[in-house]
Amino acid sequence: STRLRHSSSVSASRRSSPVCSRIPQERTMSSILNLIKPSFYIGAMKSYGKTVINVPKPGFAFPMHMMFSLFVLGYGMEYQALAQYHVAHDKAEAAAAMECYKKHGGGGGHH
């Protein structure tokens, strides 16, 4: 008998809260209207500032990671922009010099 009462009370509570009433229209509309208010963004920035202030400052690892990352990024960008052409030019120049050396009797295998 208690099992029946319990199951009937659960089903009654489920019937009283349909899925549609979980998201009221007024609350959804007011949250959308908040997006055009400057006070919404100011409040968000103030709360973010309060959480950031108490964060411990980075030690030695963060600056070293930043320096290494910037070095790799800078070197990669410099290589893409300039160095690949300089390397290709140096290789072509070395190949032309070796060809000239072999043509004029060098490179016979003896020293």
Side-chain angles (χ1 to χ4, degrees), residues 21-84:
S21 68
R22 288 185 189 166
I23 305 172
Q25 285 296 112
E26 299 85 25
R27 196 169 120 198
T28 305
M29 194 63 180
S30 66
S31 63
I32 291 172
L33 290 176
N34 276 339
L35 295 176
I36 61 172
K37 295 180 183 176
S39 61
F40 174 77
Y41 297 101
I42 292 170
M45 290 307 290
K46 284 183 180 177
S47 67
Y48 175 74
K50 287 178 184 175
T51 59
V52 171
I53 287 173
N54 296 326
V55 172
K57 301 298 181 252
F60 184 69
F62 179 76
M64 288 306 293
H65 282 107
M66 183 64 82
M67 287 170 51
F68 181 73
S69 300
L70 287 175
F71 168 74
V72 170
L73 180 69
Y75 183 80
M77 290 172 61
E78 191 269 338
Y79 182 81
Q80 285 297 321
L82 298 172
Q84 63 180 341

